């Protein structure tokens, strides 16, 4: 047995049955520390419900979710262990951001000055005394992060934190989450933005219709699907090139614009085969593995919004 | 204790408390005017043959004067207590609150403690005003202040008890009726109009169906608290402590039920 990981999130056979839908259905996965884990799934896949069950806000119909082996509700001083940013996390409209954070400090027995420290950290220190109702969407997300960081937790759980952020804000969030993971913390973040996830996540957990589709490091998930490398080539003698590539057991598709899509080979190999056959090339482009394509392929037909 | 301090900070950091404080003053003024009138009417009649119990007795009139602002004060306390709970859902702060304190029953208990503090503050405030104003009013009809009489202090003490019990009832009601608007409207209507309507209902019922039903009217929370503070009105009425017990019963039932519901309910 290896040393127990005090920051590992473990979800086992988690199920939530609402009156009409099974929002989460026998879901099991683990989230490791020191890495950013992307939690992906189409609308209504059950991401929010699963995260809320991990955080003890929604009672599971069956199954368990633990953090470092302990259920959230059994943690002493939970916000010193786990920070959460949820879609609906909000503050009283008439209360200032600073007071909102101080209320949490009081309840958790943290010193009031933590409120100012985290405001500084997310860049809200100059507007901390302004009322919450005057906050923009981006400021609200930053306040959510600030609240999550109050207890300096080793686990962070975020539900679509980049919602409503501008490009600069998204970049800020990405750098922050990567830095936090690099410090050895566990970061579980749900999102729809697959391009963003590809830049951010080390691991992914993909669910659809409440069930696990795939879990693992991003590279592995990409390698195991048709999201794998593709090459686009253009040649005056397209037919002859297609034949030459097929003879080398490559999968070739002809695009409407006359270019060829080659799957299962690197650009170098395609270039070499063309050269050997004496075929002139006008374009040779490698298309890198793409999380979006892999995601769409994996979740195809598995239910959209329910 | 941390939770209680957090709740007090929540209360202090929104504008609600001083809006309620501003409403309280005119309500107290109206109550004082009403009781002043009662004093004038009761004491100025030349015969002044005042009975010892019941409506218009010396005890009731003077007690009423020293507990001015109870009707409006309790209403405000009940509403504020309910809002302590409902605003968590109205402003979606329940998520943050229960993430910080997953043992939700502790949150409800802290809110009850806060409601009790609010109740006692309002009670203290109105009582201080009454202790200043009542002797002046009584002097206009050439009467002493009656501050040496035990019944005055008893009324003031029972008034505090009523405030506290209503505050607990308000928290319980807030949990049961989670909607902010729903809870405030229900409580206001029940409290303000409900008393009169239910009294009429009980009167009609007792006259048409079964005479002793009239005795059951003290089961209505507002009438129970009236019994607690002003004492029996009709000869058949039960003694004061029954009113207190009934109110306590309501407060306990709503609080326990409310806590159980809060523990199980999904926050989403
Ligand atoms: N409180 C609820 N009562 C009934 N059904 C619910 C409730 N909450 C969620 N659902 C249903 O459960 C399913 C999963 O919802 P959930 O919000 O977890 O999805 P999601 O993956 O977060 O979606 P999105 O990407 O749109 O945020 C949906 O079909 C939703 O309608
Ligand atoms: Mg969601």
């Amino acid at each position: 047995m290896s040393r127990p990981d005090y920051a590992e999130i473990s979800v086992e056979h988690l199920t939530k049955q609402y009156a009409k839908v099974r929002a989460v259905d026998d879901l099991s996965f683990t989230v490791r520390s020191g890495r950013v884990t992307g939690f992906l799934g189409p609308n209504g896949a059950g991401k929010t419900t699963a995260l809320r069950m991990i955080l003890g806000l929604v009672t599971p119909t069956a199954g368990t979710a633990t953090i470092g082996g302990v259920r959230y509700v059994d943690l002493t001083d939970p916000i010193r262990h786990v920070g959460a940013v949820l879609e609906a996390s909000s503050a009283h409209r008439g209360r200032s951001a600073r007071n909102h954070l101080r209320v949490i400090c009081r309840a958790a027995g943290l010193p009031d000055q933590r409120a100012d420290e985290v405001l500084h950290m997310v860049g809200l220190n100059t507007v901390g005394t302004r009322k919450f109702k005057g906050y923009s969407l981006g400021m609200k997300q930053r306040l959510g992060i600030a609240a999550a960081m109050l207890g300096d937790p080793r686990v962070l759980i975020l539900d679509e934190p980049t919602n409503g952020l501008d490009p600069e804000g998204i970049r800020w969030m990405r750098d922050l989450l990567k830095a936090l993971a690099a410090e050895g913390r566990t970061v579980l973040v749900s999102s729809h933005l697959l391009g963003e996830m590809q830049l951010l996540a080390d691991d992914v957990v993909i669910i659809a219709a409440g069930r696990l589709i795939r879990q693992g490091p991003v590279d592995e998930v990409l390698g195991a699907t048709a999201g794998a490398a593709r090459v686009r080539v253009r040649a005056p003698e397209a037919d002859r090139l297609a034949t030459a590539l097929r003879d080398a057991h490559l999968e070739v598709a002809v695009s409407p614009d006359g270019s060829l899509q080659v799957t299962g080979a690197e650009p170098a190999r395609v270039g070499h085969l063309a050269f050997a056959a004496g075929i002139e090339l006008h374009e040779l482009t490698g298309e890198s593995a793409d999380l979006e394509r892999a995601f769409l392929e994996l979740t195809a037909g598995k239910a959209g919004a329910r | 204790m941390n939770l209680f301090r957090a709740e007090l900070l929540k209360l202090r950091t929104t504008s609600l408390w001083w809006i309620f404080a501003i409403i309280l003053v005119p309500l107290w003024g109206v109550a004082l005017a009403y009781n002043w009138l009662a004093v004038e009417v009761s004491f100025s009649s030349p015969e002044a043959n005042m009975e010892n119990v019941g409506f218009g007795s010396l005890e009731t009139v003077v007690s009423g004067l020293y507990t001015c602002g109870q009707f409006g004060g309790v209403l405000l306390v009940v509403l504020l207590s309910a809002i302590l709970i409902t605003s968590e859902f109205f402003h979606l702060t329940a998520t943050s609150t229960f993430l910080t304190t997953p043992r939700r029953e502790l949150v409800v208990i802290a809110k009850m403690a806060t409601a009790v503090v609010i109740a006692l503050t309002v009670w203290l405030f109105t009582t201080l005003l009454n202790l200043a104003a009542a002797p002046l009013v009584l002097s206009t009809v050439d009467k002493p202040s009656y501050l040496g009489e035990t019944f005055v202090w008893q009324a003031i003490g029972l008034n505090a008890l009523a405030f506290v019990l209503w505050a607990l009832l308000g928290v319980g009601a807030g949990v049961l009726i989670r909607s902010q608007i729903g809870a405030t409207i229900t409580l206001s209507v029940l409290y303000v109009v409900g008393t009169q309507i239910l009294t009429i209902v009980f009167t009609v019922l007792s006259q048409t169906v079964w005479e002793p039903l009239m005795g059951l009217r003290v089961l209505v929370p507002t009438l129970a608290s009236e019994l607690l503070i002003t004492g029996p009105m009709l000869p058949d009425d039960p003694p004061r402590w029954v009113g207190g017990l009934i109110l306590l019963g309501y407060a306990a039932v709503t609080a326990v039920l409310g806590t159980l519901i809060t523990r199980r309910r999904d926050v989403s």
Side-chain angles (χ1 to χ4, degrees):
Chain A
M1 279 285 285
S2 60
R3 197 170 61 85
D5 185 344
Y6 291 108
E8 183 174 274
I9 303 172
S10 169
V11 171
E12 281 160 33
H13 305 293
L14 206 57
T15 300
K16 180 67 187 185
Q17 177 74 52
Y18 284 118
K20 295 209 180 76
V21 265
R22 191 166 270 248
V24 173
D25 190 359
D26 197 25
L27 182 63
S28 301
F29 63 86
T30 51
V31 182
R32 288 193 286 151
S33 60
R35 302 170 72 86
V36 177
T37 302
F39 191 30
L40 311 176
N43 284 129
K47 302 181 293 295
T48 300
T49 308
L51 295 182
R52 284 189 172 261
M53 282 195 281
I54 295 172
L55 293 165
L57 293 169
V58 168
T59 318
T61 311
T64 53
T66 54
I67 295 160
V70 183
R71 290 190 310 156
Y72 187 87
V73 293
D74 295 331
L75 288 169
T76 41
D77 293 333
I79 70 164
R80 290 175 195 240
H81 298 293
V82 184
V85 183
L86 295 174
E87 278 174 317
S89 58
S90 179
H92 192 291
R93 287 171 53 74
R95 191 177 287 135
S96 75
R98 189 156 171 265
N99 280 329
H100 170 69
L101 295 172
R102 286 178 151 207
V103 164
I104 302 174
C105 286
R106 289 272 160 95
L110 296 165
D112 274 2
Q113 88 220 29
R114 271 305 284 165
D116 297 320
E117 287 169 19
V118 292
L119 279 175
H120 212 273
M121 175 183 160
V122 301
L124 289 177
N125 43 319
T126 53
V127 291
T129 51
R130 239 193 263 169
K131 286 188 175 170
F132 184 71
K133 64 181 163 200
Y135 268 39
S136 72
L137 198 49
M139 290 160 86
K140 287 179 183 172
Q141 289 288 25
R142 282 172 190 256
L143 180 60
I145 297 272
M149 293 308 295
L150 273 176
D152 194 20
R154 56 202 156 77
V155 177
L156 276 152
I157 294 176
L158 309 98
D159 197 2
E160 304 194 26
T162 46
N163 250 0
L165 288 186
D166 57 14
E168 203 218 309
I170 290 179
R171 189 201 193 102
W172 169 79
M173 179 79 70
R174 186 198 309 150
D175 293 345
L176 177 71
L177 295 184
K178 283 192 164 200
L180 291 170
E183 290 169 18
R185 299 180 216 248
T186 306
V187 180
L188 175 61
V189 48
S190 86
S191 179
H192 287 122
L193 306 174
L194 296 162
E196 171 58 28
M197 269 300 153
Q198 194 162 8
L199 293 174
L200 173 64
D202 303 304
D203 295 333
V204 285
V205 173
I206 301 179
I207 66 168
R211 293 176 152 273
L212 183 69
I213 300 293
R214 191 65 55 92
Q215 155 170 40
V218 174
D219 303 341
E220 263 176 40
V221 170
L222 289 178
T225 67
R230 275 201 224 183
V231 179
R232 191 151 63 98
V233 276
R234 204 186 284 277
E237 299 172 88
D239 290 348
R240 209 155 77 76
L241 177 61
T243 314
L245 293 172
R246 284 193 183 111
D247 286 348
H249 305 292
L250 294 180
E251 200 180 301
V252 181
V254 183
S255 298
D257 66 355
S259 68
L260 303 181
Q261 302 278 350
V262 188
T263 314
E266 298 294 304
R269 183 153 148 71
V270 174
H272 178 78
L273 288 167
F275 181 73
I279 299 166
E280 177 186 347
L281 292 186
H282 285 179
E283 188 190 335
L284 177 62
T285 320
E287 287 177 358
S288 62
D290 181 354
L291 188 58
E292 177 167 311
R293 214 173 336 126
F295 174 83
L296 290 175
E297 208 158 291
L298 285 168
T299 59
K302 297 264 172 44
R306 289 179 290 162
Chain B
M1 203 57 204
N2 281 339
L3 284 181
F4 174 61
R5 287 175 55 227
E7 288 301 327
L8 285 185
L9 186 62
K10 280 185 196 172
L11 184 69
R12 269 208 347 242
T13 50
T14 60
S15 44
L16 197 66
W17 72 269
W18 58 260
I19 294 175
F20 272 56
I22 289 173
I23 300 174
L24 179 63
V25 175
L27 281 180
W28 176 81
V30 171
L32 183 71
Y34 172 83
N35 282 290
W36 193 332
L37 201 69
V39 167
E40 290 285 345
V41 170
S42 312
F43 290 95
S44 58
S45 48
E47 52 271 43
N49 59 338
M50 304 188 68
E51 294 166 39
N52 283 326
V53 292
F55 190 75
S57 72
L58 176 110
E59 217 175 274
T60 338
V61 170
V62 175
S63 299
L65 198 56
Y66 277 103
T67 55
C68 264
Q70 194 231 9
F71 185 80
V74 164
L75 177 63
L76 293 181
V77 165
V78 151
L79 292 182
L80 199 53
S81 304
I83 289 174
L84 287 183
I85 296 272
T86 57
S87 73
E88 294 272 359
F89 297 96
F90 188 72
H91 293 281
L92 304 177
T93 48
T95 295
S96 161
T97 300
F98 292 145
L99 278 177
T100 313
T101 316
R103 292 187 55 195
R104 301 181 191 170
E105 63 276 15
L106 298 180
V107 174
V108 178
I109 291 169
K111 286 191 185 288
M112 286 180 178
T114 310
V116 168
V117 168
I118 295 170
L120 290 177
T121 309
V122 174
W123 167 80
L124 191 68
F125 178 71
T126 53
T127 299
L128 289 178
L129 288 177
N130 291 335
L131 287 176
L136 294 178
V137 171
L138 287 167
S139 69
T140 63
V141 288
D142 297 325
K143 293 285 174 195
S145 68
Y146 294 103
L147 279 176
E149 303 281 344
T150 44
F151 76 84
V152 169
W153 294 102
Q154 188 189 6
I156 291 175
L158 290 171
N159 193 21
L161 184 61
F163 266 104
V164 167
L165 291 176
W166 275 102
L168 295 177
L169 208 149
V171 173
V175 183
L176 293 179
I177 316 169
R178 194 168 22 161
S179 140
Q180 176 117 305
I181 298 162
T184 40
I185 291 180
T186 310
L187 285 172
S188 313
V189 168
L190 267 182
Y191 186 80
V192 178
V193 213
T195 314
Q196 276 70 36
I197 292 178
L198 287 169
T199 310
I200 293 169
V201 168
F202 274 104
T203 313
V204 171
L205 279 181
S206 69
Q207 277 164 10
T208 56
V209 185
W210 193 41
E211 174 86 34
L213 273 179
M214 198 60 190
L216 289 180
R217 77 183 200 293
V218 296
L219 284 177
V220 180
T222 35
L223 296 177
S225 84
E226 203 172 292
L227 173 65
L228 171 67
I229 292 151
T230 39
M233 288 292 191
L234 303 176
D236 288 342
D237 279 350
R240 293 185 155 180
W241 58 266
V242 176
L245 217 57
I246 291 170
L247 266 192
L248 185 66
Y250 276 113
V253 168
T254 51
V256 169
L257 213 62
T259 308
L260 289 179
I261 291 175
T262 308
R263 272 177 57 116
R264 298 166 141 258
R265 194 152 50 190
D266 289 345
V267 181
S268 54

